PDB file of all heavy atoms in Angstrom:
ATOM      1  N   ARG A  89     127.644 107.065  27.984  1.00 96.00           N
ATOM      2  CA  ARG A  89     126.275 106.689  28.137  1.00 96.00           C
ATOM      3  C   ARG A  89     126.045 105.702  29.341  1.00 96.00           C
ATOM      4  O   ARG A  89     124.994 105.097  29.392  1.00 96.00           O
ATOM      5  CB  ARG A  89     125.796 105.971  26.898  1.00 96.00           C
ATOM      6  CG  ARG A  89     125.674 106.926  25.678  1.00 96.00           C
ATOM      7  CD  ARG A  89     125.345 106.147  24.453  1.00 96.00           C
ATOM      8  NE  ARG A  89     125.105 106.947  23.271  1.00 96.00           N
ATOM      9  CZ  ARG A  89     123.886 107.131  22.637  1.00 96.00           C
ATOM     10  NH1 ARG A  89     122.841 106.543  23.168  1.00 96.00           N
ATOM     11  NH2 ARG A  89     123.798 107.932  21.589  1.00 96.00           N
ATOM     12  N   GLY A  90     127.068 105.478  30.123  1.00 96.00           N
ATOM     13  CA  GLY A  90     126.876 104.593  31.248  1.00 96.00           C
ATOM     14  C   GLY A  90     127.216 103.130  30.951  1.00 96.00           C
ATOM     15  O   GLY A  90     126.876 102.285  31.770  1.00 96.00           O
ATOM     16  N   LEU A  91     127.753 102.849  29.765  1.00 97.00           N
ATOM     17  CA  LEU A  91     128.045 101.494  29.374  1.00 97.00           C
ATOM     18  C   LEU A  91     129.505 101.176  29.631  1.00 97.00           C
ATOM     19  O   LEU A  91     130.399 102.098  29.449  1.00 97.00           O
ATOM     20  CB  LEU A  91     127.691 101.274  27.914  1.00 97.00           C
ATOM     21  CG  LEU A  91     126.302 101.648  27.467  1.00 97.00           C
ATOM     22  CD1 LEU A  91     126.180 101.657  25.963  1.00 97.00           C
ATOM     23  CD2 LEU A  91     125.264 100.803  28.141  1.00 97.00           C
ATOM     24  N   ALA A  92     129.829  99.927  29.884  1.00 98.00           N
ATOM     25  CA  ALA A  92     131.254  99.500  29.900  1.00 98.00           C
ATOM     26  C   ALA A  92     131.589  98.806  28.612  1.00 98.00           C
ATOM     27  O   ALA A  92     130.715  98.300  27.992  1.00 98.00           O
ATOM     28  CB  ALA A  92     131.414  98.538  31.096  1.00 98.00           C
ATOM     29  N   VAL A  93     132.858  98.824  28.328  1.00 98.00           N
ATOM     30  CA  VAL A  93     133.363  98.150  27.097  1.00 98.00           C
ATOM     31  C   VAL A  93     134.503  97.169  27.516  1.00 98.00           C
ATOM     32  O   VAL A  93     135.454  97.630  28.242  1.00 98.00           O
ATOM     33  CB  VAL A  93     133.867  99.014  26.004  1.00 98.00           C
ATOM     34  CG1 VAL A  93     134.403  98.294  24.845  1.00 98.00           C
ATOM     35  CG2 VAL A  93     132.635  99.930  25.533  1.00 98.00           C
ATOM     36  N   VAL A  94     134.420  96.009  27.149  1.00 98.00           N
ATOM     37  CA  VAL A  94     135.457  94.974  27.493  1.00 98.00           C
ATOM     38  C   VAL A  94     135.917  94.292  26.165  1.00 98.00           C
ATOM     39  O   VAL A  94     135.013  93.856  25.374  1.00 98.00           O
ATOM     40  CB  VAL A  94     134.945  93.902  28.468  1.00 98.00           C
ATOM     41  CG1 VAL A  94     136.000  92.761  28.739  1.00 98.00           C
ATOM     42  CG2 VAL A  94     134.547  94.521  29.796  1.00 98.00           C
ATOM     43  N   ALA A  95     137.214  94.080  25.971  1.00 98.00           N
ATOM     44  CA  ALA A  95     137.700  93.431  24.753  1.00 98.00           C
ATOM     45  C   ALA A  95     139.006  92.727  25.034  1.00 98.00           C
ATOM     46  O   ALA A  95     139.896  93.299  25.656  1.00 98.00           O
ATOM     47  CB  ALA A  95     137.900  94.510  23.656  1.00 98.00           C
ATOM     48  N   ASP A  96     139.092  91.480  24.591  1.00 98.00           N
ATOM     49  CA  ASP A  96     140.314  90.761  24.669  1.00 98.00           C
ATOM     50  C   ASP A  96     141.209  91.017  23.461  1.00 98.00           C
ATOM     51  O   ASP A  96     140.713  91.432  22.411  1.00 98.00           O
ATOM     52  CB  ASP A  96     140.098  89.262  24.872  1.00 98.00           C
ATOM     53  CG  ASP A  96     139.615  88.630  23.594  1.00 98.00           C
ATOM     54  OD1 ASP A  96     138.663  89.134  22.930  1.00 98.00           O
ATOM     55  OD2 ASP A  96     140.206  87.540  23.172  1.00 98.00           O
ATOM     56  N   ASP A  97     142.440  90.706  23.570  1.00 98.00           N
ATOM     57  CA  ASP A  97     143.313  90.588  22.373  1.00 98.00           C
ATOM     58  C   ASP A  97     143.331  89.162  22.053  1.00 98.00           C
ATOM     59  O   ASP A  97     143.728  88.259  22.887  1.00 98.00           O
ATOM     60  CB  ASP A  97     144.754  91.100  22.741  1.00 98.00           C
ATOM     61  CG  ASP A  97     144.859  92.606  22.667  1.00 98.00           C
ATOM     62  OD1 ASP A  97     144.124  93.259  22.068  1.00 98.00           O
ATOM     63  OD2 ASP A  97     145.787  93.133  23.433  1.00 98.00           O
ATOM     64  N   HIS A  98     143.001  88.781  20.873  1.00 98.00           N
ATOM     65  CA  HIS A  98     142.796  87.338  20.537  1.00 98.00           C
ATOM     66  C   HIS A  98     144.162  86.669  20.496  1.00 98.00           C
ATOM     67  O   HIS A  98     145.191  87.384  20.406  1.00 98.00           O
ATOM     68  CB  HIS A  98     142.101  87.200  19.218  1.00 98.00           C
ATOM     69  CG  HIS A  98     140.758  87.929  19.142  1.00 98.00           C
ATOM     70  ND1 HIS A  98     139.937  88.112  20.203  1.00 98.00           N
ATOM     71  CD2 HIS A  98     140.102  88.473  18.024  1.00 98.00           C
ATOM     72  CE1 HIS A  98     138.886  88.728  19.828  1.00 98.00           C
ATOM     73  NE2 HIS A  98     138.982  88.943  18.542  1.00 98.00           N
ATOM     74  N   ARG A  99     144.149  85.414  20.413  1.00 98.00           N
ATOM     75  CA  ARG A  99     145.410  84.619  20.213  1.00 98.00           C
ATOM     76  C   ARG A  99     146.148  85.165  19.024  1.00 98.00           C
ATOM     77  O   ARG A  99     145.562  85.344  17.901  1.00 98.00           O
ATOM     78  CB  ARG A  99     145.094  83.140  20.017  1.00 98.00           C
ATOM     79  CG  ARG A  99     144.428  82.549  21.295  1.00 98.00           C
ATOM     80  CD  ARG A  99     143.780  81.248  21.034  1.00 98.00           C
ATOM     81  NE  ARG A  99     143.130  80.781  22.267  1.00 98.00           N
ATOM     82  CZ  ARG A  99     143.620  79.908  23.164  1.00 98.00           C
ATOM     83  NH1 ARG A  99     144.752  79.252  22.848  1.00 98.00           N
ATOM     84  NH2 ARG A  99     142.935  79.587  24.223  1.00 98.00           N
ATOM     85  N   GLY A 100     147.537  85.372  19.206  1.00 98.00           N
ATOM     86  CA  GLY A 100     148.311  85.854  18.102  1.00 98.00           C
ATOM     87  C   GLY A 100     148.203  87.384  17.833  1.00 98.00           C
ATOM     88  O   GLY A 100     148.724  87.854  16.857  1.00 98.00           O
ATOM     89  N   HIS A 101     147.464  88.084  18.766  1.00 98.00           N
ATOM     90  CA  HIS A 101     147.229  89.518  18.570  1.00 98.00           C
ATOM     91  C   HIS A 101     147.472  90.286  19.807  1.00 98.00           C
ATOM     92  O   HIS A 101     147.328  89.849  20.944  1.00 98.00           O
ATOM     93  CB  HIS A 101     145.790  89.717  18.101  1.00 98.00           C
ATOM     94  CG  HIS A 101     145.506  89.168  16.744  1.00 98.00           C
ATOM     95  ND1 HIS A 101     145.447  87.797  16.501  1.00 98.00           N
ATOM     96  CD2 HIS A 101     145.281  89.846  15.547  1.00 98.00           C
ATOM     97  CE1 HIS A 101     145.205  87.615  15.204  1.00 98.00           C
ATOM     98  NE2 HIS A 101     145.092  88.845  14.554  1.00 98.00           N
ATOM     99  N   GLY A 102     147.870  91.535  19.596  1.00 98.00           N
ATOM    100  CA  GLY A 102     148.079  92.546  20.715  1.00 98.00           C
ATOM    101  C   GLY A 102     148.898  92.014  21.861  1.00 98.00           C
ATOM    102  O   GLY A 102     149.919  91.296  21.706  1.00 98.00           O
ATOM    103  N   ALA A 103     148.428  92.334  23.047  1.00 98.00           N
ATOM    104  CA  ALA A 103     149.258  91.952  24.262  1.00 98.00           C
ATOM    105  C   ALA A 103     149.097  90.584  24.673  1.00 98.00           C
ATOM    106  O   ALA A 103     149.768  90.060  25.597  1.00 98.00           O
ATOM    107  CB  ALA A 103     148.766  92.857  25.433  1.00 98.00           C
TER     108      ALA A 103
END
Side-chain angles (χ1 to χ4, degrees):
R89 291 176 176 248
L91 308 172
V93 175
V94 176
D96 73 310
D97 284 334
H98 307 330
R99 293 163 188 260
H101 292 72

